Each structure stands twice: as structure tokens, then as C-alpha cells.
Amino acid sequence: MNFHVLTLFPEMIMQGLHTSILGRAVQKECISIEAVNIRDYTTDKHGKVDDYTYGGGAGMLMQAQPVYDACQTVLKTIADKRAAQESTEKPVRVIYVTPQGRTFHQEMAKELAKEEELIFLCGHYEGIDERVLEEVVTDYVSIGDYVLTGGELAAMVMIDAIARLVPGVLHNNESAQTETFHDHLLEYPQYSRPEVWRDKRVPQILLSGNHAKVDEWRLLQSIERTKKLRPDLYEKWEQQQAASHCP
Ligand code: ADE
């Protein structure tokens, strides 16, 4: 899967996403992450990419032209690559990361992980000229109801969550199957050595070697934890359980 990030701060994306598990996945060529500097596409001779807003008001706005040209260049590169491979003409999703978008969640990560190419557009200052958004954006997505100084951190959060679902990115023992949000349940508590730490013992059942009992205990812990910490998710789980037991 190939991620393309349109940004004024490419070094943020490259430094943030080429380490740890994603860095390893890039080396293995399971994914690629490219940061495209929007400033490289401005036709302004001073390299300017922002200007005052019509109608007045504080702050500067990113201008349409460099954003449009950067995006079209990436789209053209993808189209040429696909033509050479004689592969699909599937439209490429262009995600504008903005606090005005739909809130990102695990199901959205799963859906986006099925794409072969994704373009993220990161805004700065007061945002981006509406006309170019109308031209290129297919999805408006937020990572939560708070405002960041720019879209880069939000794009990085989404890319991390999507990339780890791409086959081959996680090792088997890091599997995305039994974890938090799977089936609307939070993950059960986990323990490692030593068996006793500050007078706290690892639950006896986990030392029993009885895998069926361990699984049963973990499911119960997941249910209890979800009920206590995320009653909203617990409600969804209960509904799902009721539906799956209907004749
Ligand atoms: N840009 C600024 N704040 C943001 C947020 N909460 N989500 C996505 N993009 C943003």
C-alpha cells in the first residue's frame, strides 16, 4: 500500500513514520510513505503558498494553486503507474485531515486499509481555499474534537492505524486480531515477568497452562473492562451479541 502525504512539513512525516514497526514495513516494501512538499509546486516566485482571506478575518489561508498542482502530480504518477501495470482505474481517495471531518475510528481504518493508494492532504494556518477542496477531496476526516496546529500529526495517526492492518506489516505475534476494539471489546489485562511485583501477583489462572480457562478468563476481563471504562462500546457489544443469538 502506498501513502502520499501533501504537506508543508515533509520532514515531520518522514521522521515520524519511518521508525519502529512502520519503518520496518517500509524496508520490507509492504508499504511506502511519500511526503510531497506543497511549497515545491507554487508558481509564486518567492515560494509563497498562503495569503489573506477574502472578507477579512485573522490568519492566512493556504492557496488553491500549489495544493491543486501537488495533488494532480501525485494523481498523474499513480495513473501512469497503473497504466503501465494495466491495473484498475479505481478512483484514488484524497483525504483532507480537518477537525471538520468525520471522526476517525477502527472500522474506517479497516476500510481504508483495503485501498492500494491513499493521498492525505494536510492543512496549516487557517485552512485551505475551499475551491481546491471541492476539486480534489473525496473524504473529510478528523481524529477528534480538538484543534491541532496542522494536519500532519492527524495524518500520521491515521496512517499508523491503517498501515498496521496491511498484510505483512505486523508479525504474527503482533497480530491485529485479539486486540482492543475487536468485536467492540477492549483488550484484557496482560502480565509479564516477574510473577510477583510490589506484592502484586499475576492472576493464578494465567499460570495454570489451561488454555480454555485462560481464554474464558480473558473474555470475561474484556467484558468487565469494557463495561467499566467504555459503557458506549459495551452497549454495542451487547447489541451485537443479541443479534448473533437471534434465530
Ligand atoms: N487539523 C487540525 N486539527 C485536526 C484534527 N482534530 N483532526 C484532523 N486534522 C486536524
Side-chain angles (χ1 to χ4, degrees):
M1 171 162 199
N2 305 307
F3 297 95
H4 312 265
V5 186
L6 309 178
T7 169
L8 287 174
F9 299 94
E11 65 287 355
M12 236 176 127
I13 302 294
M14 296 312 270
Q15 284 167 14
L17 292 178
H18 281 85
T19 49
S20 182
I21 294 175
L22 295 202
R24 185 185 70 197
V26 169
Q27 294 228 305
K28 284 198 296 177
E29 297 185 8
C30 292
I31 56 168
S32 76
I33 305 166
E34 172 204 29
V36 177
N37 192 344
I38 294 169
R39 198 177 297 280
D40 289 346
Y41 291 85
T42 181
T43 51
D44 180 86
K45 62 177 185 289
H46 303 294
K48 206 163 69 80
V49 288
D50 60 327
D51 210 330
Y52 296 101
T53 54
Y54 279 114
M60 307 287 270
L61 203 63
M62 280 169 70
Q63 291 169 288
Q65 177 273 318
V67 172
Y68 185 75
D69 288 0
C71 191
Q72 290 305 312
T73 302
V74 173
L75 286 168
K76 168 107 175 46
T77 310
I78 296 170
D80 289 349
K81 183 175 69 182
R82 284 178 170 178
Q85 295 168 348
E86 293 180 16
S87 67
T88 53
E89 286 289 301
K90 197 172 169 221
V92 177
R93 288 170 81 163
V94 179
I95 299 167
Y96 177 40
V97 284
T98 164
Q100 298 185 10
R102 276 199 302 150
T103 309
F104 187 68
H105 51 68
Q106 190 66 20
E107 279 307 308
M108 212 190 279
K110 272 191 210 165
E111 183 206 318
L112 292 170
K114 292 179 194 148
E115 299 288 329
E116 199 41 50
E117 312 278 347
L118 279 179
I119 301 178
F120 287 85
L121 171 58
C122 303
H124 254 271
Y125 315 117
E126 287 305 302
I128 302 181
D129 190 306
E130 192 66 23
R131 293 166 296 183
V132 67
L133 299 178
E134 287 168 9
E135 284 292 313
V136 302
V137 173
T138 59
D139 301 77
Y140 293 74
V141 187
S142 166
I143 59 162
D145 287 341
Y146 41 83
V147 181
L148 304 169
T149 54
E152 284 75 12
L153 285 172
M156 285 160 74
V157 165
M158 291 185 222
I159 291 170
D160 190 282
I162 296 163
R164 65 189 288 288
L165 301 175
V166 172
V169 169
L170 295 186
H171 287 152
N172 276 348
N173 62 355
E174 298 159 343
S175 163
Q177 274 307 302
T178 57
E179 61 191 14
T180 294
F181 298 127
H182 183 66
D183 271 349
H184 304 304
L185 286 180
L186 301 182
E187 199 173 25
Y188 45 77
Q190 301 199 77
Y191 305 87
S192 182
R193 273 192 278 207
E195 220 175 287
V196 183
W197 179 76
R198 287 171 69 97
D199 287 341
K200 287 170 177 274
R201 283 202 157 274
V202 171
Q204 207 56 37
I205 186 82
L206 299 178
L207 311 174
S208 70
N210 184 335
H211 295 301
K213 285 270 174 226
V214 168
D215 285 350
E216 197 180 302
W217 180 86
R218 285 178 166 166
L219 177 61
L220 218 73
Q221 291 290 320
S222 281
I223 295 169
E224 285 308 314
R225 176 170 281 204
T226 311
K227 194 171 176 178
K228 185 167 164 217
L229 298 180
R230 290 289 306 272
D232 56 323
L233 278 184
Y234 179 72
E235 210 172 293
K236 279 190 190 160
W237 177 78
E238 275 195 316
Q239 283 164 8
Q240 191 187 50
Q241 291 300 105
S244 68
H245 290 119
C246 275

